[in-house]
Amino acid sequence: MIRDSRLSSVLHGLLHMIGAGEPVTSEQLAQAMATNPVVVRRVMAGLREQGLVHSEKGHGGGWTLARDPTDITLADIYRAVGEPTIVAIGHRSENPGCLVEQAVNDALGDTFREVEALFLKRLGGVTLEALAKDFKRRLAKHKQSLEDQIHAVK
Amino acid sequence: MIRDSRLSSVLHGLLHMIGAGEPVTSEQLAQAMATNPVVVRRVMAGLREQGLVHSEKGHGGGWTLARDPTDITLADIYRAVGEPTIVAIGHRSENPGCLVEQAVNDALGDTFREVEALFLKRLGGVTLEALAKDFKRRLAKHKQSLEDQIHAVK
DNA sequence: CATCATGTAACATGTGAAGTTACATGATAC
DNA sequence: GTATCATGTAACTTCACATGTTACATGATG
């Protein structure tokens, strides 16, 4: 099953980067992603390799988006975060000669590819920009609700 | 991602059970599944709960198929082996109030369900019987190829 | 050249699946 | 009945892998 917690974590970081108008340090991202700076660098390194983010050393350095958020989809991020294949059924001790697995792969190989394609296609339909917009909307709503509560207490 | 090694393991066991005309012990299945008897019982217990296999204690006891192999699909087995949901993107520390995840789920919730449905639908299209037939065909071919090699050496 | 930030290797920890041991329960053969 | 065989299951151990941590190198800025 697909249960990516890294993708979720990375999205937190990226939304944070969109909000800030300047480079965000690994230290700051670590807070947004509820982890520590080294892990942030490790994960973000994958995104950098895919050209999604950019990193700068020294004073005023940190992480910035390398592309326009309208040009980055969740599929890009998912791939960059680095899942090998989405669907695969196999034995632990890779046994390519195993006749049972050959039969399974013959029966379901196309299915695996089909499911993976559908998944990535849908991820590809959601841009970082769209996600950010929706997030901001929720944030505003949330704020409003808190204010209402305060008002009610008065 | 889906990378079930248990399903593959269980299939080995089930094909073994189809071949044998009598109950197969956990000991024997453990060999076919490259593990040990207790693990076999643990995994098979899930299949029994779903009514796919039957177990008998004592002399001459062991595991047998509870339904006709034409009536068991890979979807049944997959479910019985017990994967919770196929696709889910979430933070480790389940944080249902997290606005980022709410936004992601709003954008992709339907997709997750759609991908899962497609996957299970395809698994549902392959019966254990069909798989066993294909497996036997491969086995025969494999045997033939070995005999040919022996013949060539002579 | 002091400071800040990333880059990365090496090691530590946590977690969940798989493996193991031990013993209880039930069924069959004698 | 009782010896034997097989499953049922709890408790513990081991293993693999992701994550977390420490330490230090590299490069950029003031």
Side-chain angles (χ1 to χ4, degrees):
Chain A
M1 85 174 255
I2 300 162
R3 178 176 278 283
D4 201 319
S5 75
R6 269 200 287 181
L7 179 57
S8 168
S9 170
V10 162
L11 287 176
H12 275 81
L14 293 177
L15 291 185
H16 202 83
M17 282 167 59
I18 290 186
E22 50 185 15
V24 185
T25 68
S26 303
E27 193 81 41
Q28 296 171 301
L29 286 177
Q31 300 235 324
M33 296 163 68
T35 179
N36 74 63
V38 178
V39 175
V40 170
R41 288 182 201 124
R42 210 137 68 187
V43 176
M44 286 294 168
L47 302 208
R48 186 183 45 215
E49 275 170 29
Q50 299 300 314
L52 301 183
V53 297
H54 172 77
S55 65
E56 198 74 45
K57 290 180 176 177
H59 277 277
W63 300 88
T64 46
L65 283 179
R67 295 189 347 214
D68 198 275
T70 60
D71 191 39
I72 298 178
T73 72
L74 297 193
D76 298 324
I77 300 168
Y78 185 80
R79 264 186 288 255
V81 149
E83 292 298 315
T85 44
I86 301 208
V87 200
I89 288 179
H91 205 266
R92 276 160 299 169
S93 49
E94 289 301 338
N95 196 348
C98 173
L99 297 179
V100 173
E101 273 160 51
Q102 279 181 22
V104 171
N105 275 321
D106 197 45
L108 294 177
D110 286 345
T111 290
F112 294 163
R113 281 181 283 280
E114 191 182 2
V115 168
E116 177 159 352
L118 174 61
F119 182 64
L120 286 176
K121 184 180 167 192
R122 290 303 154 85
L123 286 188
V126 182
T127 66
L128 191 55
E129 164 74 11
L131 199 69
K133 239 181 195 157
D134 191 39
F135 169 68
K136 277 178 201 158
R137 191 178 56 73
R138 283 171 200 276
L139 197 61
K141 209 173 196 172
H142 184 64
K143 251 185 182 163
Q144 184 60 50
S145 139
L146 286 182
E147 278 167 14
D148 288 353
Q149 282 178 38
I150 292 170
H151 197 70
V153 169
K154 279 188 194 166
Chain B
M1 82 176 256
I2 301 161
R3 177 176 279 282
D4 201 319
S5 77
R6 269 200 288 182
L7 179 57
S8 169
S9 171
V10 162
L11 287 176
H12 276 80
L14 293 178
L15 291 185
H16 202 82
M17 283 168 58
I18 291 187
E22 49 185 17
V24 185
T25 68
S26 303
E27 192 81 42
Q28 296 171 303
L29 286 177
Q31 299 234 325
M33 296 163 68
T35 179
N36 73 62
V38 178
V39 175
V40 169
R41 289 184 199 121
R42 209 137 69 186
V43 176
M44 286 294 167
L47 301 209
R48 186 183 47 215
E49 275 170 29
Q50 299 301 312
L52 301 183
V53 297
H54 172 77
S55 64
E56 198 74 44
K57 289 180 177 177
H59 277 278
W63 300 88
T64 46
L65 283 179
R67 293 188 350 212
D68 198 275
T70 60
D71 190 39
I72 297 177
T73 72
L74 296 194
D76 298 323
I77 300 169
Y78 185 81
R79 264 187 289 254
V81 149
E83 292 298 316
T85 44
I86 301 209
V87 201
I89 289 179
H91 206 267
R92 275 159 300 168
S93 49
E94 289 301 340
N95 196 346
C98 173
L99 297 179
V100 173
E101 273 161 49
Q102 280 182 22
V104 171
N105 276 321
D106 196 46
L108 294 178
D110 286 344
T111 290
F112 295 164
R113 283 181 281 279
E114 189 182 4
V115 168
E116 177 158 352
L118 174 62
F119 183 63
L120 285 176
K121 184 179 168 192
R122 291 301 153 86
L123 286 188
V126 182
T127 66
L128 191 55
E129 163 75 10
L131 200 68
K133 243 183 193 155
D134 191 39
F135 170 67
K136 279 178 199 157
R137 192 177 56 72
R138 283 171 199 277
L139 198 61
K141 210 173 196 171
H142 185 63
K143 250 185 184 166
Q144 185 60 51
S145 138
L146 286 182
E147 278 167 16
D148 288 352
Q149 283 178 40
I150 291 169
H151 196 71
V153 170
K154 280 190 196 165

